[in-house]
């Protein structure tokens, strides 16, 4: 009884003292949400009036002041598709190598990890210039969706690998030991046991990567280019949505309204991608672990 | 490179009928890559769209990145035609330039700024850091925010040539890239001064954005004064090629110079070149 009261007393004293950290933490969270809300409401406020089926599907006219963003959406999707199709297998492979086949403290693993962390912090314009030299010039892809997508893949890889690797590491040793004890092969263990467990890490990496890629301007300016025509192949130049927004707001007098409308579309796509990947990691990939 | 695909058939068929290209529209095909000045890019994009509409087998890709890039790209054969918003320099004499439109550069300040005119000497002193407060030129007691353009931009080259200052002597607080960015920077800062394309300034001031174009040597900065040749700080917007253009490039440059695109040039707030 005395022990219980003493415990209660400690709790009460602490709860008073803990009010301040609580206030600080809450106001930080509220501040962040407010900033997000302000940005979002400003974009919605200026952009919503412009949004229509016509705007989503039509081609831009008069340097983007009129018309829509149809070809630009298609180009953006293709660039993103190329980037993910290239980055996902390479990223997953590297993450598995780092977490399952190299000891955490090994020199090789540390070096790869360190390089990836530095790469993740490299400004995107550097990736853009690299992509321009390697893909556009040396490999002769010119200004094309392909060279833009490959450049973005290079840019997204570090984030994707590191967060997927963390996902694999978050699966405790018990998973591996249990799998080994029932005689599962390493391949089965990785793909049937560890991958579902790592799914949240993978999907976080993917969201961050896609988010960085779809919002990218500098890396695409010199690789996928500025052409706002409907692309007919991956070797065509195609203007990404973010470049369209950049051009409308920075270079085209009177382009502001359409820039806001395009930004609203971009933000909506980001929200949808977030929701979908959250759903996938929570329901779809997780379910596989119960089947086994 | 890939870019050159289709130029050979164009050479043979199109050159033979270069003066009547509307008739043999179906025979033109190939791809042109045009890169360079961001001031010129929206204009050339629109001209290219009309050209493509007339010749369905032609593709013209317009990429931007600044006048200097326009020149280096044609030199390296990355592009077929470059866009340059300034006169060619001494070491660029082997490049051929074809003016397609006129544009001017105007000083802009915030609309609330009481200054209505600055002497050239005052502008030079502001940009070289000798004058740092608006009160020194008869304005409010407020520090001047100097907005300049990034290196390699045609607008900057023309500005320093006209005012005869070295670009290394400019002491900017803000460095901008494209025209609209300049307008946004100045309209967002009551004590700033910048310089942008006359067409951009005229349009933006017209739709109520709080900027004020300043006259130069007493001549108002307007497309009208550029057209009649009175505005002193004007420039040609050029298409450039590495050698004498042929085939598709030649036909396109001819098209960009023709009366057929006069409405596009005005729509983009530039001035057509006198015949």
């Amino acid at each position: 009884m005395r022990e219980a009261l003493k415990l209660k007393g400690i709790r009460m004293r602490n709860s008073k003292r803990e009010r301040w950290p609580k206030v600080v933490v809450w106001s930080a969270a509220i501040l962040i949400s407010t900033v997000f809300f302000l940005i979002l409401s400003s974009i919605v406020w200026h952009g919503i009036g412009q949004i229509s089926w016509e705007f989503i599907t039509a081609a831009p006219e008069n340097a983007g002041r009129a018309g829509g963003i149809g070809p630009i959406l298609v180009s953006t999707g293709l660039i993103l598709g190329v980037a993910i199709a290239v980055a996902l297998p390479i990223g997953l492979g590297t993450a598995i190598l780092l977490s399952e086949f190299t000891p955490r403290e090994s020199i090789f693993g540390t070096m790869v990890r360190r390089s990836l962390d530095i790469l993740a912090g490299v400004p995107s314009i550097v990736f853009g210039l690299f992509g321009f030299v390697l893909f556009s010039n040396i490999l002769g892809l010119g200004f094309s969706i392909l060279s833009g997508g490959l450049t973005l893949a290079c840019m997204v890889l570090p984030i994707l690998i590191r967060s997927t690797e963390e996902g694999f590491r978050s699966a405790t040793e018990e998973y591996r030991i249990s799998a080994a004890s029932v005689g599962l092969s390493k391949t089965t263990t990785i793909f049937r046991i560890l991958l579902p467990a790592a799914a949240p890490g993978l999907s976080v990496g993917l969201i961050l990567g896609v988010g960085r890629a779809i919002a990218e301007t500098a890396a695409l300016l010199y690789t996928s280019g500025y052409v706002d025509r409907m692309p007919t192949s991956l070797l065509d130049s195609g203007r990404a949505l973010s470049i369209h927004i950049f051009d409308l707001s920075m270079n085209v007098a009177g382009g502001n309204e359409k820039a806001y409308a395009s930004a609203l579309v971009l933000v909506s796509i980001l929200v949808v991608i977030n929701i979908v990947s959250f759903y996938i990691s929570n329901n779809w990939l997780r379910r596989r672990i119960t089947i086994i | 490179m890939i870019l050159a695909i289709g130029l050979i058939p164009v050479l043979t068929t199109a050159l033979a009928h270069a003066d009547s290209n509307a008739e043999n529209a179906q025979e033109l095909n190939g791809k042109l890559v045009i890169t360079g000045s961001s001031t010129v890019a929206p204009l050339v994009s629109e001209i290219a769209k009309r050209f493509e509409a007339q010749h369905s087998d032609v593709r013209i890709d317009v990429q931007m990145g600044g006048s200097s890039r326009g020149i280096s790209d044609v030199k390296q054969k990355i592009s077929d035609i470059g866009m340059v918003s300034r006169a060619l320099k001494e070491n660029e004499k082997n490049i051929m330039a074809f003016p397609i439109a006129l544009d001017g550069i105007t000083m802009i300040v915030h609309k609330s700024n009481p200054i209505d005119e600055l002497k050239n000497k005052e502008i030079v002193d502001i940009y070289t850091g000798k004058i740092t407060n608006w009160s020194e030129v008869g304005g409010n007691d407020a520090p001047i925010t100097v907005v300049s353009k990034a290196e390699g931009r045609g607008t900057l080259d023309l500005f320093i040539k006209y005012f005869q200052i070295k670009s290394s002597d400019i002491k900017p607080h803000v460095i901008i890239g494209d025209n609209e960015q300049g307008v946004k920077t100045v309209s967002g800062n009551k004590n700033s001064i910048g310089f942008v394309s006359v067409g951009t300034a005229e349009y933006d001031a017209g739709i109520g954005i709080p900027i004020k174009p300043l006259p130069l040597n007493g001549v108002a900065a307007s497309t009208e004064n550029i057209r009649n040749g009175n505005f002193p700080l004007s420039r040609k917007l050029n298409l450039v090629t590495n050698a004498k253009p042929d085939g598709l490039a030649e036909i396109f440059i001819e098209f960009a110079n023709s009366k057929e695109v006069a409405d596009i040039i005005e729509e983009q707030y530039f001035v057509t070149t006198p015949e």
Side-chain angles (χ1 to χ4, degrees), chain B residues 209-224:
Chain B
I209 290 174
I211 54 161
K212 179 159 63 178
L214 298 180
L216 210 56
N217 290 347
V219 183
S222 66
T223 45
E224 188 51 47

Side-chain angles (χ1 to χ4, degrees), chain A residues 60-63 65 132 137 140 143 222 225-229 236-237 246-247 249-254 256, chain B residues 2 35 38 41-42 45-46 49 52 59-64 69 78 178-181 184 200 203 267-268:
Chain A
E61 286 161 32
N62 191 8
R65 293 183 189 95
F132 175 63
N137 286 352
F143 294 101
Y222 300 145
Y226 181 73
V227 172
D228 59 4
R229 190 194 307 112
D236 282 356
S237 166
F246 175 75
D247 187 49
S249 56
M250 292 301 170
N251 198 34
V252 174
N256 247 358
Chain B
I2 303 172
T35 69
S38 57
S45 290
E46 287 304 310
K49 267 182 204 165
E52 284 177 343
R59 288 179 46 98
I60 300 174
D61 285 1
V62 180
Q63 314 284 359
M64 60 176 181
R69 177 154 171 240
I78 292 170
D178 302 326
N179 283 315
E180 271 296 296
Q181 197 183 356
K184 285 199 168 75
T200 307
Y203 175 84
E267 221 171 49
Q268 304 298 325

Side-chain angles (χ1 to χ4, degrees), chain B residues 42 120 153:
Chain B
N120 288 359
R153 296 287 180 165

Side-chain angles (χ1 to χ4, degrees), chain A residues 185-268:
Chain A
S185 71
K186 188 122 193 177
T187 319
T188 317
T189 311
I190 287 172
F191 286 101
R192 307 287 286 184
I193 310 281
L194 296 177
L195 186 57
L202 178 64
S203 84
V204 165
L206 212 52
I207 295 173
L208 289 177
V210 167
R212 200 176 170 196
I214 202 173
E216 190 43 54
T217 318
L220 293 177
L221 209 51
Y222 300 145
T223 51
S224 62
Y226 181 73
V227 172
D228 59 4
R229 190 194 307 112
M230 184 65 88
T232 51
S233 88
L234 291 183
L235 287 172
D236 282 356
S237 166
R239 188 191 289 198
L241 202 45
S242 52
I243 291 193
H244 190 56
I245 297 170
F246 175 75
D247 187 49
L248 281 180
S249 56
M250 292 301 170
N251 198 34
V252 174
N256 247 358
E257 289 181 350
K258 296 288 180 191
Y260 270 114
S262 309
L264 180 57
V265 172
L266 184 63
V267 171
S268 316

Side-chain angles (χ1 to χ4, degrees), chain A residues 60-268:
Chain A
E61 286 161 32
N62 191 8
R65 293 183 189 95
I69 53 168
I72 288 151
L73 279 179
V74 173
S75 301
T76 311
L78 289 174
I79 293 168
L80 209 57
V82 170
I84 291 178
V86 172
L88 198 57
I90 299 178
L92 198 56
T94 316
I96 291 173
L97 174 79
L98 283 177
S99 70
E100 303 305 314
F101 294 95
T102 45
R104 185 158 223 175
E105 310 304 332
S106 74
I107 295 177
F108 173 74
T110 315
M111 270 178 60
V112 172
R113 245 174 249 121
R114 200 63 77 227
S115 325
L116 287 172
D117 289 347
I118 293 170
L119 267 185
V122 168
S124 54
I125 185 72
V126 177
F127 282 100
L129 291 172
F130 166 77
F132 175 63
V133 172
L134 180 65
F135 301 122
S136 303
N137 286 352
I138 296 177
L139 297 181
L141 296 175
F143 294 101
S144 67
I145 287 170
L146 199 55
S147 74
L150 291 173
T151 307
L152 283 192
C154 297
M155 208 180 85
V156 163
L157 268 173
I159 313 171
L160 189 63
I161 296 171
R162 291 295 271 137
S163 85
T164 312
E165 188 206 344
E166 283 313 310
F168 274 100
R169 292 216 183 271
S170 71
T172 53
E173 279 305 305
E174 283 155 41
Y175 282 74
R176 294 175 185 89
I177 294 166
S178 313
S181 69
V182 294
L184 292 183
S185 71
K186 188 122 193 177
T187 319
T188 317
T189 311
I190 287 172
F191 286 101
R192 307 287 286 184
I193 310 281
L194 296 177
L195 186 57
L202 178 64
S203 84
V204 165
L206 212 52
I207 295 173
L208 289 177
V210 167
R212 200 176 170 196
I214 202 173
E216 190 43 54
T217 318
L220 293 177
L221 209 51
Y222 300 145
T223 51
S224 62
Y226 181 73
V227 172
D228 59 4
R229 190 194 307 112
M230 184 65 88
T232 51
S233 88
L234 291 183
L235 287 172
D236 282 356
S237 166
R239 188 191 289 198
L241 202 45
S242 52
I243 291 193
H244 190 56
I245 297 170
F246 175 75
D247 187 49
L248 281 180
S249 56
M250 292 301 170
N251 198 34
V252 174
N256 247 358
E257 289 181 350
K258 296 288 180 191
Y260 270 114
S262 309
L264 180 57
V265 172
L266 184 63
V267 171
S268 316

Side-chain angles (χ1 to χ4, degrees), chain B residues 132-180:
Chain B
T132 56
N133 196 300
W134 282 113
S135 60
E136 294 172 58
V137 287
N140 299 329
D141 180 21
I144 302 177
T145 304
V146 176
V147 181
S148 186
K149 279 215 135 190
E151 291 286 344
R153 296 287 180 165
T155 311
L156 175 72
D157 287 340
L158 198 71
F159 176 82
I160 57 180
K161 202 172 165 196
Y162 178 80
F163 287 107
Q164 297 184 334
I165 35 182
K166 272 193 284 178
S167 106
S168 54
D169 288 341
I170 294 182
K171 303 208 165 32
H173 300 109
V174 183
I175 291 179
I176 52 137
D178 302 326
N179 283 315
E180 271 296 296

